[in-house]
Amino acid sequence: MIYRREIDGLRAAAVVPVILFHAGFSLFTGGFIGVDVFFVISGFLITSIILEEMRKGTFSLVAFYERRARRLLPALFLVILCCLPFAWLWVMPEEFRDFSDSLIATSLSGANFLFWFKSGYFAPEAGEVPLLHIWSLAVEEQYYMFFPLLVIFMWKRKPNWLLATLVAIAFASLAYSEWASRVFPSANFYFLPSRAWEFLAGSICSFIESKGKKRGSDPLSLLGFGMIAFSVFYFDETSPIPSTLALVPVVGAMLVLLFARQGTWVAALLSTRAFITVGKISYSAYLWHQPIFAFARIRSIDPPPITEMGALACFSLVLGYLSWRFVEQPFRRSQHRLLPSRRGLTLSASAMLAAFIAFGLYGHDTRGIPWRLPEPIKDFIADSEWSKTCLVESGSGWDGMPIKNCIFNGSHAQIYAILGDSLASALTPALARRLDGMNIGLEQITHSFCAPVADVSMVPLQARECGAFNTAAIDYLVKSKVKTVVLAASWKIFFEQSRYVFRGEEVAKSDARQRLREAFDKTVAELTAAGIRVVIVYPHPRGDTEIAAKVAKLMHKGMPAPTITIPQDEFLQQSLPSYAYLDDPKDKHVLRVDPAKIFCGIEAGRCDLARGGKALIFDKVHFTPTGADAVADEILVALKRDDMTAGNGVAALSSDQF
């Protein structure tokens, strides 16, 4: 294949916006579309190479995969190895466990599946995920697995139909991405079926180039380059990519590939030494930039200033050049290359991948290898862990109500209950201890992902049992001797889903609001009609990052007693949608406990997620023991006030117990 300098220049035009976008430069709001341009370039080059070799009769699938391995793996292995010591020293256990999972997924070419499951690409914490960017490499590797096989199959049977087949698949993939961008936006972003048309756009360019006269065009190449630039500067994280909107950068890349020939203005720009140099090192620079940015953010107490991120962006180019020069090239050059035999390359790569997988499994199984951290940090994290005791998980099975061994202090004559999801589970030990001192037992009825609303569940698989679980729990409670039930859940998460399941029927949020309200009101009414006093624990402030890990991280950096806050207005904005549902039941036997009294008000306009070195929230949602103690105290205050004023027949709580 004839070398085209302008293609290396186009690589530079793709990688630099990605790096600057991840660095946080606000001008490059659509810099992530550089990945889409990369996919088009990859499709073009791979197809050109395969077609040329197929016509000559020299194509070998084994040789193809060897070239891909030599191209991708050495620099990738180097970057991963360099990440390990920094992760070991600086990353907190839960984050290290996630990092360990990413090692496994990267080694198995499945990083896109992991990051789809774990976190959104544009989520606030994404900037601190060292290997997040490897999702695109996984998509590319998956494409390499299937595309050559398709070409071989068609070449042997209907070679004249190959282009038509690729065009048909491309249109089907584009149509799917447009649909999925509306229905499954996160999966749409990460998965090959939504991205295949971008690779195939490059493949189509390869066919056009091989069959027609290669002509440059200033107007068309300028239009293409302008379309890419427009996408970089005017798209943002709300842009549904990939979808038909991605035709702007993708068609732009196609026009540059087809018409930016030597002699055109765009080719002259892309063929300058700066563009070609950055283009040649683009793969290594892409590998380096995200870990550098992530570890800078992990290590910094405050977000690094944009000047520092700019310097780190330049540093990623320097490291990109060094790894291209001393790692990529030695493995790829035709003469005197490292590991020249295919067998040696295969064994070495397999050994490295196996080592990464083994280390990743160890990090996952040990929950982030906490013993590697200093003793005070390790103790703090252990003491902040939220309680999962008696928390039913989807598929773990429950025989019925009451759930065995989940009645605490059951020897007492009077029993209260707590019903809800994992947030209720985190609250249970603190509440059980306080009630025990008043000769009251506590029955825990908690299922992960299951807010205490009968006949309704969220769509994720983890919530598939919620409708049945809550119905069984409420049926049991109305027939039981329990006369006080605490309802606690991650209400914000529950009430802000895009879709729900009502008795097996999946319904969009736009059609579900009234049904949600009725379902919650019905749940409370069934309990109060049975003479049960209901205590609703309202939403509490949430963080965008792991709070206990952030406190531990700040302590690790030398800040002895960190306080982590969010603006009170932000908390109120978070909670308003939930209040609309939780305020609705008007029965006199409904008590409301607002954790805002605990979290907010120490200083005007702020809510604390950690205070004086004590985390109130463990991750983003669940109470630490300290946070649970504070909320449990508020619950008992509400119960005491109700017993003193309502005269509802429930045993009064003496004032010296508060």
Side-chain angles (χ1 to χ4, degrees):
M1 181 179 172
I2 299 174
Y3 171 66
R4 290 177 56 187
R5 291 175 290 173
E6 61 272 12
I7 293 181
D8 269 335
L10 184 58
R11 282 194 178 110
V15 76
V16 170
V18 174
I19 292 174
L20 295 178
F21 169 76
H22 286 155
F25 284 84
S26 58
L27 183 63
F28 296 84
T29 55
F32 56 89
I33 64 93
V35 173
D36 304 73
V37 176
F38 268 124
F39 288 163
V40 178
I41 297 171
S42 293
F44 175 79
L45 295 175
I46 291 303
T47 305
S48 299
I49 292 169
I50 293 176
L51 290 179
E52 183 177 334
E53 293 183 351
M54 293 292 272
R55 292 186 185 107
K56 293 179 180 178
T58 60
F59 179 75
S60 164
L61 193 61
V62 174
F64 171 83
Y65 289 132
E66 180 188 358
R67 288 196 301 267
R68 292 297 88 205
R70 289 186 180 277
R71 165 70 168 145
L72 300 177
L73 295 184
L76 175 64
F77 289 169
L78 173 66
V79 169
I80 292 175
L81 287 171
C82 290
C83 286
L84 289 173
F86 295 102
W88 184 273
L89 292 172
W90 295 343
V91 175
M92 295 298 107
E94 278 302 309
E95 296 162 321
F96 194 90
R97 192 183 196 190
D98 291 339
F99 174 75
S100 301
D101 292 341
S102 70
L103 287 181
I104 300 170
T106 297
S107 302
L108 298 175
S109 298
N112 55 331
F113 290 93
L114 174 72
F115 292 123
W116 163 71
F117 181 76
K118 289 277 189 181
S119 173
Y121 183 78
F122 300 105
E125 69 272 16
E128 295 188 9
V129 180
L131 298 180
L132 176 68
H133 62 322
I134 302 301
W135 76 268
S136 63
L137 184 59
V139 172
E140 195 158 339
E141 289 169 343
Q142 291 157 20
Y143 176 75
Y144 293 154
M145 292 176 191
F146 296 109
F147 181 72
L149 299 177
L150 173 62
V151 173
I152 292 172
F153 177 82
M154 293 299 300
W155 196 270
K156 289 182 177 180
R157 288 162 178 79
K158 297 285 186 180
N160 294 332
W161 290 14
L162 178 56
L163 176 58
T165 301
L166 297 182
V167 170
I169 296 174
F171 274 105
S173 172
L174 174 60
Y176 173 78
S177 71
E178 174 65 24
W179 173 77
S181 69
R182 305 167 190 271
V183 182
F184 306 113
S186 181
N188 181 62
F189 185 89
Y190 280 117
F191 291 165
L192 178 61
S194 303
R195 296 284 186 174
W197 69 273
E198 298 179 334
F199 291 97
L200 293 171
S203 300
I204 293 167
C205 288
S206 177
F207 272 93
I208 294 172
E209 183 182 71
S210 67
K211 293 185 177 182
K213 189 173 181 180
K214 303 172 180 62
R215 294 180 178 176
S217 169
D218 274 321
L220 290 175
S221 60
L222 280 170
L223 175 61
F225 194 74
M227 292 169 73
I228 295 172
F230 174 85
S231 304
V232 168
F233 296 117
Y234 288 96
F235 285 11
D236 59 31
E237 62 186 47
T238 65
S239 303
I241 301 295
S243 67
T244 52
L245 185 64
L247 285 168
V248 179
V250 169
V251 171
M254 293 175 73
L255 291 174
V256 172
L257 289 171
L258 290 172
F259 298 107
R261 296 286 173 178
Q262 291 303 311
T264 62
W265 296 331
V266 172
L269 173 65
L270 296 178
S271 298
T272 57
R273 185 171 183 179
F275 271 87
I276 290 176
T277 300
V278 174
K280 286 182 176 179
I281 68 171
S282 59
Y283 173 63
S284 281
Y286 180 79
L287 289 179
W288 281 111
H289 83 280
Q290 175 68 10
I292 291 172
F293 295 164
F295 286 121
R297 291 175 175 123
I298 287 169
R299 193 56 181 163
S300 299
I301 292 177
D302 297 313
I306 199 66
T307 52
E308 180 180 332
M309 297 304 289
L312 292 175
C314 294
F315 184 51
S316 70
L317 295 178
V318 173
L319 289 180
Y321 172 78
L322 293 175
S323 60
W324 171 79
R325 173 71 176 81
F326 297 107
V327 179
E328 280 193 63
Q329 291 302 101
F331 277 93
R332 296 181 65 196
R333 62 194 175 202
S334 56
Q335 294 182 342
H336 309 297
R337 66 185 179 185
L338 296 176
L339 295 176
S341 75
R342 189 173 293 160
R343 177 183 174 84
L345 177 70
T346 302
L347 291 175
S348 299
S350 299
M352 288 296 295
L353 293 171
F356 290 147
I357 291 172
F359 186 84
L361 289 171
Y362 179 65
H364 179 90
D365 289 343
T366 57
R367 298 183 61 83
I369 321 180
W371 55 262
R372 64 195 161 79
L373 297 171
E375 201 70 27
I377 305 298
K378 183 172 61 176
D379 291 343
F380 169 81
I381 293 173
D383 293 342
S384 299
E385 182 71 67
W386 62 280
S387 173
K388 302 177 184 66
T389 302
C390 278
L391 177 63
V392 178
E393 300 283 353
S394 178
S396 61
W398 46 278
D399 297 329
M401 304 292 171
I403 300 173
K404 294 179 181 178
N405 303 319
C406 292
I407 300 177
F408 302 96
N409 318 315
S411 59
H412 298 313
Q414 193 173 11
I415 301 290
Y416 288 3
I418 183 167
L419 174 64
D421 60 11
S422 56
L423 185 80
S425 178
L427 182 58
T428 298
L431 186 58
R433 285 195 303 273
R434 282 155 177 74
L435 293 175
D436 185 34
M438 298 178 295
N439 299 319
I440 299 173
L442 181 65
E443 182 169 353
Q444 180 179 348
I445 309 174
T446 56
H447 190 305
S448 60
F449 291 87
C450 293
V453 183
D455 301 323
V456 186
S457 67
M458 298 184 292
V459 171
L461 289 177
Q462 301 96 321
R464 62 179 179 262
E465 298 175 353
C466 292
F469 181 87
N470 285 325
T471 299
I474 292 165
D475 287 347
Y476 161 71
L477 287 170
V478 298
K479 298 172 184 175
S480 72
K481 296 180 179 179
V482 172
K483 293 303 176 186
T484 296
V485 173
V486 177
L487 304 182
S490 304
W491 299 115
K492 180 181 186 300
I493 294 175
F494 178 74
F495 285 123
E496 294 186 8
Q497 293 292 301
S498 60
R499 303 182 73 80
Y500 296 87
V501 177
F502 292 85
R503 293 181 176 270
E505 176 192 0
E506 188 169 326
V507 180
K509 175 67 174 290
S510 57
D511 300 321
R513 290 186 177 90
Q514 186 58 33
R515 293 179 67 174
L516 272 177
R517 188 181 305 278
E518 292 171 356
F520 182 67
D521 290 355
K522 177 186 174 185
T523 299
V524 174
E526 284 188 28
L527 293 171
T528 56
I532 296 174
R533 175 172 56 175
V534 174
V535 181
I536 303 174
V537 180
Y538 268 49
H540 61 78
R542 297 161 45 92
D544 287 331
T545 59
E546 306 270 336
I547 301 303
K550 188 172 183 178
V551 173
K553 188 191 311 179
L554 294 173
M555 294 168 64
H556 195 28
K557 296 173 186 177
M559 185 182 290
T563 293
I564 298 172
T565 69
I566 64 170
Q568 190 165 3
D569 288 345
E570 181 181 330
F571 163 57
L572 292 175
Q573 196 66 32
Q574 289 176 355
S575 304
L576 280 176
S578 300
Y579 289 166
Y581 296 97
L582 302 178
D583 288 344
D584 201 45
K586 299 299 191 292
D587 193 290
K588 66 179 182 180
H589 295 304
V590 177
L591 309 181
R592 291 173 168 85
V593 173
D594 191 353
K597 295 178 181 179
I598 304 160
F599 290 81
C600 309
I602 296 295
E603 284 188 10
R606 90 174 199 204
C607 296
D608 297 342
L609 304 175
R611 186 179 295 152
K614 292 185 179 294
L616 302 174
I617 304 298
F618 180 75
D619 37 34
K620 300 175 189 176
V621 176
H622 300 98
F623 299 121
T624 62
T626 300
D629 284 341
V631 175
D633 285 340
E634 281 296 313
I635 292 173
L636 263 64
V637 167
L639 293 173
K640 172 192 173 184
R641 187 181 300 117
D642 182 61
D643 290 337
M644 294 177 64
T645 60
N648 56 16
V650 180
L653 306 177
S654 63
S655 58
D656 61 1
Q657 292 167 324
F658 295 92

